[in-house]
Amino acid sequence: MAKYQAIKGTYDVMPAEAAAWQHVESVVRRQARAFGFREVRTPVFEDTALFVKGTGEATDIVQKEMYTFTDKGGRSLTLRPEGTPPVIRALVEHSALKESPCVKVFYLAPMFRYERPQAGRLRQHTQFGAEIVGTDSPLADAEVIALLFTTLARLGLSGLTLRLNSVGCPACRPAYRDTLVAHFRPRLDTLCGDCRERIERNPLRILDCKADRDRVQDAPAMTDCLCPACAAHFDRVKALLKGLGVPFAIDKTLVRGLDYYTRTAFEVASQHLGAQDALGGGGRYDGLVEQLGGDPAPGVGFGAGLERFLLAMRNQGVAVPDGPRPDIYVAALGTAASDKAAELCGMLRGKGYACEQDLQGRSLKAQLREANRINARYVLVIGDDELAKGAASLKDMDTHGQREVPFAELADNIEAYCECSCQG
Ligand code: HAM
């Protein structure tokens, strides 16, 4: 066993797995661009107070899951457990909403939560998140949901369920909260220990308790208690999703574990995942910007776990395109040939080709095996004879055709010999 190992709940992406990651990341970036979202990058750690205030003091994240530490200057800092409060902080700090009243941003970033690791639940995970800040239009809700849904479809994922709910607003939620407490209080002894505590602190969370799933089915639904403005908003979101062809199911138990949500709440689950089946989730947060010190501005967004995307793709048997292959492997025998190979590789790389050579003085057989293993498109073999001639044979590894190429021609006219795509 290796002396040092990756910390529990974290993992390494080894080169063999990197192509799958790059594929997912490039699909995500393409989709975000297609929807007009621009990338934002924020620091990995923030002032702890940002999450206490933004994510919410009563949430599991703040209560139990944050990686919080004191730095050498005595500040309390926290590794980002979720992307929304940092993004809002950055937009407010940089006055982005003054420049443009409606901002659309996305991020691909690591998040840290001290959770009990299991399949699909990690202590460091990577989120694709998107936020639209500055509009309360249901068009924005439908747009972020469509971005998440179409990204998953583009990745080849099927068996998806979009669960949708509205959690109301500060105008209608207090009355619903009272209705819910009145419903559960006589049934308190049927609820789990956590929910018995939640009834005072956060009764809505009883609805999404896994342990009490059967006992909440007859609870009153928020969607029956919405104020006229929230009801109209929810109706339009549903109509827009229908128009976009995004299928959804209303789930009155979907309340989400973060404090900032208002109105729309949603989650996309995959039938190809186990207990941790949420590929992504999000909702509207119309009070968060003001709560974090900005001028009042509504917002809506989602976060989605890339590890779960990859797990669902693997479980579903989705083929991932191979990563880019090297263009030319230069096999050389002897010191003088290796020096020439280094010179040729340098020249070809300068022209934008991906080239490799042996760095260990291995046999020709071993070098050709390596060229095969890395799936090089062409192989150029150089020995003493080739050096003397000033030319070498270039082998096409796909067609097995072979031709002699003078070194000078390689430098001046490589395109005439190779069909690979220049990356430069
Ligand atoms: P969240 O539901 O806490 O929302 O996380 C979003 C997604 O991140 C989850 O659906 C899941 O795919 C992934 N995820 C969360 N925790 C883990 C974990 N421990 N291991 C692996 N994957 C995980 C948020 O974070 C909100 N900031 C989303 C949002 C953005 N709402 C509005 N805007």
Side-chain angles (χ1 to χ4, degrees):
M1 201 200 276
K3 185 168 174 190
Y4 298 107
Q5 295 180 346
I7 302 297
K8 189 174 167 189
T10 72
Y11 61 92
D12 302 303
V13 178
M14 297 307 286
E17 296 135 350
W21 275 90
Q22 286 164 4
H23 167 66
V24 170
E25 286 161 3
S26 85
V27 169
V28 159
R29 287 181 185 285
R30 252 200 325 270
Q31 283 302 106
R33 188 166 166 267
F35 278 72
F37 286 73
R38 296 198 302 155
E39 185 173 3
V40 61
R41 299 185 191 202
T42 63
V44 163
F45 54 82
E46 298 270 357
D47 187 340
T48 301
L50 177 70
F51 300 108
V52 174
K53 185 103 177 146
T55 308
E57 190 137 30
T59 59
D60 283 352
I61 291 182
V62 170
Q63 290 287 316
K64 308 184 213 166
E65 296 170 2
M66 295 206 300
Y67 280 92
T68 296
F69 59 98
T70 307
D71 76 358
K72 292 192 191 329
R75 304 171 193 86
S76 178
L77 303 177
T78 292
L79 298 185
R80 170 182 56 202
E82 59 134 342
T84 309
V87 166
I88 300 302
R89 176 201 52 71
L91 296 181
V92 171
E93 187 173 333
H94 296 274
S95 306
L97 290 158
K98 296 205 169 81
E99 273 166 37
S100 159
C102 177
V103 177
K104 292 167 49 168
V105 288
F106 79 96
Y107 45 93
L108 269 170
M111 308 288 161
F112 304 85
R113 296 183 189 179
Y114 190 79
E115 291 195 87
R116 199 143 37 83
Q118 63 179 81
R121 190 162 69 193
L122 296 149
R123 289 185 174 168
Q124 176 177 339
H125 72 279
T126 312
Q127 264 188 33
F128 164 37
E131 318 284 355
I132 302 183
V133 185
T135 174
D136 64 0
S137 168
L139 286 167
D141 307 44
E143 188 162 290
V144 292
I145 293 173
L147 170 58
L148 175 57
F149 210 79
T150 57
T151 302
L152 298 170
R154 278 284 157 105
L155 287 168
L157 287 167
S158 57
L160 304 174
T161 313
L162 168 63
R163 299 191 291 134
L164 189 68
N165 195 16
S166 174
V167 294
C169 71
C172 51
R173 205 177 320 160
Y176 173 65
R177 195 181 183 279
D178 293 346
T179 311
L180 210 55
V181 172
H183 171 82
F184 282 123
R185 204 177 285 291
R187 299 168 173 81
L188 217 50
D189 54 352
T190 67
L191 298 179
C192 74
D194 282 349
C195 285
R196 264 178 250 154
E197 278 177 30
R198 281 180 185 132
I199 195 149
E200 296 305 335
R201 240 185 325 117
N202 198 351
L204 266 73
R205 287 303 310 276
I206 299 177
L207 293 174
D208 75 348
C209 174
K210 295 251 178 336
D212 286 327
R213 187 162 280 175
D214 297 340
R215 288 180 280 275
V216 302
Q217 293 310 325
D218 60 346
M222 178 77 229
T223 45
D224 293 332
C225 304
L226 295 174
C227 62
C230 285
H233 185 96
F234 195 45
D235 285 344
R236 181 126 182 260
V237 171
K238 288 184 286 185
L240 285 163
L241 290 176
K242 278 192 190 129
L244 286 166
V246 177
F248 60 86
I250 303 295
D251 182 348
K252 68 174 185 180
T253 68
L254 180 73
V255 294
R256 312 253 317 127
L258 305 162
D259 272 2
Y260 45 66
Y261 289 118
T262 51
R263 296 190 166 171
T264 313
F266 62 92
E267 233 164 59
V268 179
S270 162
Q271 69 184 40
H272 299 284
L273 291 175
Q276 303 302 317
D277 65 352
L279 288 165
R284 181 160 276 290
Y285 46 83
D286 290 344
L288 184 61
V289 178
E290 187 177 12
Q291 209 175 328
L292 294 181
D295 292 337
V300 63
F302 68 79
L306 260 54
E307 291 81 4
R308 294 189 188 175
F309 289 14
L310 284 157
L311 197 59
M313 288 163 72
R314 199 173 318 130
N315 292 348
Q316 200 191 304
V318 175
V320 173
D322 291 332
R325 59 197 292 204
D327 297 313
I328 303 175
Y329 186 89
V330 187
L333 265 182
T335 308
S338 293
D339 290 358
K340 184 69 188 174
E343 186 192 314
L344 288 173
C345 279
M347 180 275 294
L348 291 166
R349 286 174 190 144
K351 284 175 167 277
Y353 290 90
C355 299
E356 292 190 39
Q357 77 174 112
D358 171 65
L359 304 176
Q360 297 167 290
R362 286 184 294 180
S363 70
L364 184 61
K365 202 169 154 199
Q367 292 187 46
L368 294 178
R369 212 180 307 123
E370 176 67 6
N372 252 321
R373 193 185 70 79
I374 63 173
N375 194 25
R377 177 75 171 82
Y378 293 93
V379 175
L380 190 72
V381 181
I382 311 176
D384 289 342
D385 289 351
E386 285 78 11
L387 283 180
K389 270 192 294 190
S393 69
L394 183 72
K395 185 170 176 189
D396 185 323
M397 300 296 275
D398 288 356
T399 63
H400 304 292
Q402 206 157 313
R403 61 199 292 193
E404 194 159 275
V405 184
F407 295 144
E409 276 287 291
L410 260 187
D412 297 338
N413 200 14
I414 173 86
E415 297 79 6
Y417 296 92
C418 293
E419 273 177 9
C420 29
S421 54
C422 172
Q423 294 154 30

